[in-house]
Amino acid sequence: MRLVLLGPPGAGKGTQGVLLAERYGIPQISTGDILRDHVQRGTRLGIQARSYMDRGEYVPDGVVVSMVMDRLEEPDADHGFILDGFPRTVAQAEALERALEETEEPLTAVLKFSVGGELAVRRLLGRYTCPTCGRTYHMEFKPPAEDEVCDVCGSTLERRADDDELTARRRLAVYREQASPLERFYAERDLLHQIDAEALPDEVVDRTMGVLEALP
Ligand code: AMP
């Protein structure tokens, strides 16, 4: 299973990616997570990427493409992968297509998670993650028992630096600029499937499994 997850920030790609990765036993590869890890470690790539991420803009294609190509060569991706947050531009999609043509292992499907803009913003502004155990929370939809404290390990929860309202709205606008050509690219290849993501995560996973099981 080689999947690409599309959809605006706040559509739930990360949540769906984790759940699908568990069900299929393949890695979820999130370019946002890899970039944040570089930023945290202060690598050259992280220093280069940070200014774009802080502004809610896309990191240049060349940087992201080579990062993903390296990741896809790791052995855990031999039997499939779930790409979350990549590709985001047609140039990235073309680079991925060329790489997969070389291995003769094309994409299985591209899943687009749809969610209205205001719900996406509410989801982004309320989300928190535990830096120790990785558990995710939401102030409104999935609050911890004690404010900003992880139920499981007691660590103080953190918000993503780019989840403030101004940057979240900029990220949505940047997404909208690139989304149509990217969706057309995959629709022309008969790979694009749209999934209504305005539901609880388990319901969205069931809808996604329904789409995947119906594939020829
Ligand atoms: P995400 O975690 O997917 O919301 O990504 C967070 C930020 O990382 C984005 O706002 C971009 O600045 C950057 N980023 C992640 N994936 C890509 C990509 N495929 N192309 C360009 N920038 C990306």
Side-chain angles (χ1 to χ4, degrees):
M1 189 75 72
R2 289 175 292 278
L3 301 176
V4 161
L5 310 186
L6 298 184
K13 298 186 298 296
T15 307
Q16 292 301 309
V18 170
L19 296 173
L20 291 168
E22 270 169 21
R23 296 209 187 184
Y24 289 105
I26 50 179
Q28 175 224 16
I29 300 175
S30 155
T31 42
D33 284 349
I34 301 174
L35 288 167
R36 277 185 290 280
D37 181 55
H38 277 279
V39 170
Q40 207 179 5
R41 288 189 288 124
T43 66
R44 239 181 85 193
L45 196 157
I47 292 164
Q48 200 182 350
R50 184 175 186 161
S51 60
Y52 296 97
M53 296 171 79
D54 283 349
R55 281 180 280 128
E57 307 283 340
Y58 286 168
V59 175
D61 286 335
V63 175
V64 183
V65 166
S66 59
M67 191 180 85
V68 172
M69 295 309 141
D70 287 348
R71 178 64 185 88
L72 289 179
E73 282 184 7
E74 286 179 31
D76 66 339
D78 274 355
H79 304 292
F81 51 78
I82 298 169
L83 283 172
D84 157 11
F86 180 94
R88 267 176 151 103
T89 64
V90 171
Q92 293 179 12
E94 286 169 345
L96 177 65
E97 187 174 63
R98 279 195 299 275
L100 296 180
E101 266 166 14
E102 271 175 33
T103 58
E104 296 184 19
E105 289 181 328
L107 289 174
T108 311
V110 175
L111 308 173
K112 185 207 163 180
F113 295 103
S114 307
V115 64
E118 284 315 305
L119 178 56
V121 171
R122 259 167 77 196
R123 284 181 176 176
L124 294 174
L125 298 192
R127 66 182 182 182
Y128 285 84
T129 308
C130 175
T132 310
C133 70
R135 213 157 278 258
T136 56
Y137 296 88
H138 193 282
M139 237 161 43
E140 197 181 339
F141 307 125
K142 193 182 157 193
E146 192 184 332
D147 257 8
E148 297 185 30
V149 175
C150 180
D151 290 346
V152 180
C153 67
S155 301
T156 303
L157 301 177
E158 288 179 352
R159 288 183 74 195
R160 262 173 58 172
D162 57 355
D163 275 347
D164 64 287
E165 179 148 11
L166 198 68
T167 318
R169 289 195 186 277
R170 178 69 196 136
R171 284 157 61 208
L172 276 164
V174 169
Y175 168 81
R176 287 199 197 100
E177 282 163 23
Q178 303 281 345
S180 305
L182 189 58
E183 286 166 25
R184 213 165 29 246
F185 179 91
Y186 285 125
E188 282 166 2
R189 286 155 178 76
D190 271 338
L191 284 169
L192 189 68
H193 301 268
Q194 183 149 325
I195 293 161
D196 176 356
E198 292 202 358
L200 291 172
D202 285 343
E203 169 62 25
V204 180
V205 152
D206 287 345
R207 291 177 190 173
T208 307
M209 301 289 285
V211 167
L212 295 176
E213 279 159 17
L215 289 176

